Amino acid sequence: MSAKEKYSGSYSGFHEPPPTRAELVVRPDLLRISVSVSLELNEGVEQALTHLQRACEQLHRRLEDALGPGVAFRPRDVRFDRSGLKKLAMPEEEATHASVDGVFEVPLPSELAFWARTSRVGTLTRLCGVAQGDSRQSKKLPRFSFGTVEALVAQPEAHRAELLRRFVTRVRELASAVGSPEAPLHVVDCSAPGPVEQSPVSLEEVGLSLPVHCRLDVVRGPAAGDGRGGTETR
């Protein structure tokens, strides 16, 4: 079962979670849910954006009232589409379809026990469901659509040092296991580490990984060859 399915409300029976494939497993401290808010008006782009902004701010305040300070709305993109209401419509008769995409983020204190954490997920899910239902009561209201709740780490880069330490340890263990006193292995090529990647697993676990590619080989003298054909690790 994927991480997104964990909060989908499916009750088809017990599901064994997949094994966590990550270099470091930590407790999540952030809930994130994607949102798209759209509206079609005959009043122009500026007016449509004003309505969308007001709707997002109202939901933001509603979430803060229920979940406390620290709730954040992070808009990511905006799209516009103008289509004539009539085949030979005048410019003032054209409809403007505008939509804003973003995410709401809610703090998930790491010290919270499991049932307190599930309570925050339930409150967030309920409020988003209410907003989505209310928005479909009238075509004049901005329409909300939401993704699924994910439990993540707010600052994954804070774990970079530990991930690098673990990577160095693995490289040394591999070099010791594969090499020999007569032909010891050394790092002969290594890429720069990328950003820390996270894979949500559950309300209790997030897997963190640091993509690094290195090649181990026997260091030979100039007359012994160029050292190609070594062991690659990551």
Side-chain angles (χ1 to χ4, degrees), residues 8 13 24 32 58 76 82 85 94 111 115 124 130 132 143 148 151 158 163 180-181 186 195 218 223 226 229:
S8 63
L24 177 64
R32 179 180 295 165
Q58 290 174 347
R76 291 179 170 174
R82 294 180 65 85
L85 296 178
E94 290 184 337
E111 66 272 13
W115 292 113
L124 176 60
V130 170
Q132 182 168 305
R143 177 162 294 192
T148 53
L163 288 167
S180 65
H186 300 275
V218 177
D226 59 6

Side-chain angles (χ1 to χ4, degrees), residues 14-226:
F14 176 77
H15 294 276
E16 182 70 28
T20 303
R21 294 183 174 88
E23 300 159 26
L24 177 64
V25 177
V26 298
R27 213 167 188 223
D29 57 7
L30 179 76
L31 296 176
R32 179 180 295 165
I33 186 169
S34 59
V35 57
S36 180
V37 196
S38 60
L39 180 65
E40 186 170 292
L41 284 179
N42 301 333
E43 302 175 12
V45 171
E46 292 78 7
Q47 290 80 1
L49 283 177
T50 299
H51 287 291
L52 291 176
Q53 180 180 356
R54 185 181 301 118
C56 291
E57 291 173 347
Q58 290 174 347
L59 178 56
H60 189 182
R61 288 193 295 268
R62 193 182 304 176
L63 293 177
E64 278 194 323
D65 290 343
L67 295 164
V71 177
F73 173 59
R74 306 192 187 282
R76 291 179 170 174
D77 198 10
V78 62
R79 298 187 301 275
F80 300 104
D81 178 37
R82 294 180 65 85
S83 57
L85 296 178
K86 302 176 183 178
K87 187 173 183 180
L88 299 176
M90 299 297 290
E92 60 271 15
E93 296 177 305
E94 290 184 337
T96 298
H97 182 86
S99 61
V100 172
D101 299 330
V103 295
F104 278 101
E105 294 181 344
V106 177
L108 186 67
S110 57
E111 66 272 13
L112 288 181
F114 175 77
W115 292 113
R117 297 163 81 81
T118 61
S119 177
R120 291 183 75 78
V121 174
T123 300
L124 176 60
T125 303
R126 176 179 59 81
L127 292 174
C128 290
V130 170
Q132 182 168 305
D134 290 346
S135 71
R136 282 156 172 72
Q137 299 301 314
S138 172
K139 292 184 178 180
K140 296 181 180 180
L141 294 175
R143 177 162 294 192
F144 283 93
S145 297
F146 296 93
T148 53
V149 179
E150 289 185 316
L152 302 166
V153 175
Q155 300 293 335
E157 291 295 329
H159 300 275
R160 174 176 289 269
E162 174 62 18
L163 288 167
L164 280 172
R165 186 193 68 78
R166 293 184 177 217
F167 174 77
V168 171
T169 299
R170 289 200 311 276
V171 170
R172 289 174 176 171
E173 290 175 349
L174 178 61
S176 176
V178 178
S180 65
E182 296 77 18
L185 292 177
H186 300 275
V187 175
V188 297
D189 185 28
C190 196
S191 66
V196 175
E197 299 176 351
Q198 56 178 320
S199 303
V201 179
S202 69
L203 272 179
E204 295 293 312
E205 293 183 336
V206 174
L208 300 179
S209 302
L210 185 65
V212 187
H213 296 272
C214 283
R215 189 165 64 88
L216 299 174
D217 205 345
V218 177
V219 177
R220 301 183 176 90
D226 59 6

